[in-house]
Amino acid sequence: MKTTLISLLCLLFSLNIFGQVKKTKYDSTILGETRQFQFYIPEDYDPEKKYPLFIVLDGDYLFDLVVASVKFNSYNDLMPKSIVVGINQGYNNLRFSDCDFSDEDGLPKEKGKLFFDFIEREVVPLIQQNYNLAEFKAVAGHGITANFINYYLFKDNPLFDAYISLSPTFAPQMTERIADRLSQFEDRKFYYLANSERNLDKEDKERISALNGMLKTIDNPKFYYFYDNFENATPFTAASYGIPKAIDLMFDLYEPISKEEYDKNVITHEAPVINYLIKKQETIKELFGFEKPIPLNDIMAIYSVIKTKKYDDLESLERLSDISKKEFPDTMLGFFFLAEYYEQMGEPKKALKTYENAFTMSEIDFLTKDLMLDRITSIKEDFGY
């Protein structure tokens, strides 16, 4: 046990350096057996930052799909960089013994109980000891493992915040239990459910559809529910369709402000519009457990609204200046917004000095030294400075 644990810790350290996907083995005290894992740690892992965690059951074939989606979305700033752990179950009939449940009440029994504890008391703590994890944790499963992940919902303080359930094969009484539990949470929970039209098991297909009927009626502002019924998919291809879709939907709020979001929510927001951006950032922190750097795209979206409304919202312009100085401290951005604020407030001397300060900073986006000179010259000519 000690030798294997040391080997695993060495592997985790090597992943920190090289950002590789690696396979390893671990001697589980709870299960009394050796288990196979796969790990993905972001290439530029920074111990000062926090990372969401994805636990992937059926890691033999789901792990690569999750890693690919996580890498693609995080590369494009559509989600935070994350750590992914796959638990392999495709040998020695493990996925069925791991997920064993009682035919009477549908709850885990024997090996199923141990596997539940194994994830909660060995797998996740091991990652927490070696990496800086955000509060946000997700779990994914397919078929019988998609049924198993729901057992974590029934804890008083569930281990996971997000559940990706791909073509689940439900145990008895599970659909009613899941719907009842998800209606009760006072903290945020994400739940993605995938079905497939070409599912030859009629009972599975109907029970997934029935669960969807129950979940979509839940009136709970803390519950985020997503459902797909893939018309041309089998239960297996539904996994390849569902994983990128689930991850995209799960992190929708994290994405930079889109044109659709701008038209629907931002430009229609009552003044001060800066509150929209602040609320968005607060919600991201609440959901994922860390502060996201505010992208230039979002700052410019707020500035666009201020300009469109002819600078009626000067409070937002001043506060946008403060945010910009924090997020882009070496650039003109914060000083430029502050200079415009002074201009609109009828304080040309302060505006002139602030534009001069901006001139000494680095250019960014449409802000150039030529533009600063134009603003400086214009004020001097208008007021005879």
Side-chain angles (χ1 to χ4, degrees):
M1 169 66 182
K2 184 177 180 181
T3 302
T4 305
L5 180 57
I6 292 174
S7 298
L8 182 55
L9 295 180
C10 290
L11 169 65
L12 291 173
F13 180 73
S14 72
L15 288 172
N16 183 4
I17 298 174
F18 300 110
Q20 299 179 29
V21 171
K22 288 286 188 178
K23 295 181 180 180
T24 191
K25 296 180 180 179
Y26 174 70
D27 287 339
S28 168
T29 301
I30 292 175
L31 294 176
E33 62 188 21
T34 301
R35 298 305 300 255
Q36 296 179 7
F37 290 93
Q38 299 182 72
F39 293 89
Y40 166 71
I41 309 298
E43 287 79 358
D44 55 352
Y45 172 81
D46 182 348
E48 298 300 316
K49 298 179 180 179
K50 293 186 176 183
Y51 295 80
L53 173 67
F54 284 79
I55 297 293
V56 184
L57 305 189
D58 282 322
D60 315 72
Y61 60 94
L62 291 186
F63 175 78
D64 289 339
L65 293 171
V66 174
V67 170
S69 294
V70 166
K71 292 184 71 173
F72 178 85
N73 283 22
S74 60
Y75 178 83
N76 291 287
D77 198 30
L78 303 177
M79 66 173 287
K81 293 180 179 180
S82 303
I83 292 172
V84 184
V85 178
I87 302 174
N88 293 357
Q89 298 171 276
Y91 59 100
N92 297 337
N93 206 36
L94 282 175
R95 71 191 302 264
F96 293 100
S97 60
D98 287 345
C99 302
D100 195 16
F101 57 78
S102 168
D103 291 331
E104 295 179 1
D105 61 15
L107 298 177
K109 71 174 185 179
E110 300 174 1
K111 176 74 174 296
K113 291 181 179 179
L114 297 177
F115 187 67
F116 182 95
D117 291 340
F118 164 66
I119 292 174
E120 186 168 45
R121 291 167 48 197
E122 286 190 318
V123 176
V124 173
L126 179 63
I127 306 304
Q128 287 176 322
Q129 290 168 14
N130 292 277
Y131 291 95
N132 194 5
L133 296 184
E135 295 176 11
F136 185 85
K137 299 176 181 63
V139 62
H142 178 232
I144 193 171
T145 64
N147 171 75
F148 186 85
I149 65 176
N150 293 288
Y151 294 130
Y152 290 97
L153 290 169
F154 306 136
K155 298 271 291 186
D156 289 338
N157 296 298
L159 178 63
F160 299 105
D161 307 285
Y163 300 76
I164 302 175
S165 182
L166 305 162
S167 300
T169 300
F170 287 120
Q173 305 177 40
M174 280 299 290
T175 53
E176 294 79 7
R177 285 195 178 109
I178 293 168
D180 180 63
R181 183 66 176 122
L182 285 170
S183 66
Q184 299 174 9
F185 284 108
E186 296 181 359
D187 58 344
R188 298 178 191 267
K189 289 290 178 287
F190 295 81
Y191 197 93
Y192 176 84
L193 179 63
N195 203 351
S196 56
E197 279 297 322
R198 293 171 58 193
N199 190 341
L200 298 180
D201 190 314
K202 184 177 180 181
E203 183 179 355
D204 282 350
K205 182 177 176 181
E206 290 178 349
R207 295 187 71 189
I208 296 170
S209 180
L211 177 59
N212 172 56
M214 290 183 273
L215 296 185
K216 69 182 182 181
T217 64
I218 291 178
D219 184 17
N220 181 352
K222 299 292 186 179
F223 176 49
Y224 292 75
Y225 174 59
F226 313 100
Y227 175 75
D228 277 312
N229 183 26
F230 296 107
E231 293 185 2
N232 298 314
T234 68
F236 299 99
T237 55
S240 62
Y241 298 149
I243 286 174
K245 185 77 175 291
I247 292 175
D248 182 52
L249 291 168
M250 194 180 300
F251 290 97
D252 179 65
L253 182 68
Y254 186 92
E255 298 179 12
I257 293 173
S258 64
K259 185 179 186 306
E260 180 182 4
E261 182 181 359
Y262 179 86
D263 293 338
K264 182 179 179 181
N265 299 323
V266 184
I267 201 167
T268 59
H269 194 277
E270 294 183 3
V273 69
I274 192 68
N275 287 343
Y276 181 89
L277 180 60
I278 292 172
K279 179 62 176 177
K280 182 181 176 82
Q281 291 299 117
E282 289 174 347
T283 305
I284 289 173
K285 183 177 180 180
E286 179 185 352
L287 289 177
F288 306 122
F290 59 90
E291 292 185 1
K292 176 196 175 188
I294 301 177
L296 180 61
N297 172 87
D298 291 7
I299 289 175
M300 288 305 183
I302 300 302
Y303 178 60
S304 176
V305 174
I306 296 170
K307 286 180 60 182
T308 300
K309 297 186 176 181
K310 302 185 185 302
Y311 297 95
D312 287 339
D313 186 4
L314 289 180
E315 176 185 345
S316 290
L317 187 59
E318 183 180 29
R319 291 165 69 187
L320 191 64
S321 167
D322 293 335
I323 290 172
S324 300
K325 287 179 181 178
K326 177 183 177 182
E327 298 293 335
F328 300 92
D330 299 324
T331 75
M332 300 176 174
L333 199 62
F335 286 99
F336 175 79
F337 292 150
L338 184 59
E340 282 204 337
Y341 169 77
Y342 286 139
E343 276 195 284
Q344 297 299 321
M345 290 292 292
E347 300 185 56
K349 286 186 178 180
K350 287 185 177 180
L352 176 61
K353 181 174 179 58
T354 309
Y355 278 128
E356 289 173 341
N357 287 335
F359 179 82
T360 66
M361 309 295 283
S362 298
E363 297 181 346
I364 183 172
D365 200 72
F366 71 94
L367 303 181
T368 65
K369 292 187 181 294
D370 287 342
L371 176 60
M372 297 307 113
L373 285 174
D374 288 344
R375 295 293 180 97
I376 291 168
T377 301
S378 177
I379 292 177
K380 287 182 175 179
E381 290 177 350
D382 289 344
F383 295 94
Y385 296 143

